[in-house]
């Protein structure tokens, strides 16, 4: 009985940590963290997004983002979420065009796969296509707000 309780506790801990790798690492008391200083290999950074940012791609990215990412990155991708606050995460605002200016699509993809700091890697959880769709969606957020800013103000009637 004690053993069962211990196993249960351990399991709850792993779930609480919200780790994607939980299936592989159930037995580890201290689950491995995603690297805080993730080094992006140059060939990965140069990788181009093979999926065109069509409406369908962005819509799929938005849907997946809502399921898998919004709990930390915010429903609007602006980095505002309850879990983010609870976990004291420092999140970027993807609706700010400056936020990911320095990041190539390949870099974003690599971070998505491997995880970074408190963000669990998504490797194997979704197809590559779904990940590229999410990157298209994130890019579209910045583009939309940039367009809104540069649009001429509505004419006074
Ligand atoms: C547990 C909370 C959490 C979840 C879930 C999560 N992320 Fe993150 N994500 C983070 C944190 C924290 C960072 C910043 C990591 C760092 O720089 O140390 C980050 C970083 C990123 C980055 C790199 C650019 C940046 O903002 O620094 C991308 C792209 C990203 N996340 C996309 C996603 C996508 C897409 C999903 C859904 C599949 C997702 N994340 C799920 C917490 C999360």
């Amino acid at each position: 009985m004690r053993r069962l309780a211990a196993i249960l506790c351990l399991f709850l801990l792993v779930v609480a940590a919200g780790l994607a790798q939980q299936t592989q690492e159930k037995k580890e008391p201290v689950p491995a963290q995603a690297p805080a200083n993730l080094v992006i290999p140059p060939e990965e950074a140069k990788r181009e997004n093979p999926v065109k940012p069509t409406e369908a791609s962005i819509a799929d990215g938005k849907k997946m983002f809502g399921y898998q990412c919004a709990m930390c990155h915010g429903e609007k991708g602006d980095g505002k979420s309850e879990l983010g606050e609870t976990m004291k995460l420092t999140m970027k605002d993807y609706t700010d065009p400056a936020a990911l200016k320095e990041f190539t699509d390949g870099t974003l993809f690599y971070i998505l796969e491997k995880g970074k700091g408190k963000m669990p890697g998504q490797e194997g959880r979704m197809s590559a296509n779904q990940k590229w769709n999410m990157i298209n969606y994130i890019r579209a957020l910045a583009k939309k707000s940039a367009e809104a800013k540069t649009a001429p103000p509505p004419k006074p009637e």
Side-chain angles (χ1 to χ4, degrees):
M1 206 48 207
R2 296 261 303 267
R3 215 178 123 84
L4 188 69
I7 291 172
L8 208 70
C9 274
L10 193 68
F11 180 72
L12 282 176
L13 253 176
V14 173
V15 172
L19 282 178
Q21 298 100 322
Q22 52 176 282
T23 43
Q24 298 152 19
E25 308 194 358
K26 248 179 208 156
K27 282 178 219 117
E28 290 219 348
V30 183
Q33 270 250 310
N37 295 315
L38 184 71
V39 180
I40 320 266
E43 67 275 15
E44 293 288 339
K46 270 196 239 135
R47 214 164 145 192
E48 283 186 26
N49 189 337
V51 180
K52 291 236 152 44
T54 59
E55 262 177 48
S57 159
I58 292 169
D60 182 76
K62 182 175 182 183
K63 193 176 80 187
M64 290 309 289
F65 191 89
Y67 295 153
Q68 310 273 359
C69 326
M71 67 281 238
C72 288
H73 285 276
E75 285 300 327
K76 298 188 202 114
D78 57 6
K80 297 189 178 68
S81 67
E82 265 178 46
L83 185 59
E85 270 173 38
T86 314
M87 287 175 72
K88 298 203 171 24
L89 303 178
T90 318
M91 305 300 283
K92 290 196 167 86
D93 175 359
Y94 296 152
T95 65
D96 176 1
L100 295 177
K101 223 173 70 194
E102 314 290 323
F103 292 68
T104 62
D105 282 7
T107 300
L108 296 180
F109 189 85
Y110 194 74
I111 295 176
L112 250 179
E113 292 266 287
K114 303 288 172 203
K116 184 166 180 260
K118 297 216 167 84
M119 166 155 158
Q122 309 290 317
E123 212 164 22
R125 290 187 76 206
M126 281 163 275
S127 71
N129 247 8
Q130 285 173 316
K131 288 178 198 139
W132 290 118
N133 287 342
M134 286 192 294
I135 291 169
N136 284 337
Y137 167 64
I138 291 172
R139 296 288 193 203
L141 290 175
K143 207 163 154 239
K144 215 166 111 193
S145 79
E147 276 166 8
K149 274 192 198 119
T150 52
K155 276 194 206 125
E157 297 279 316

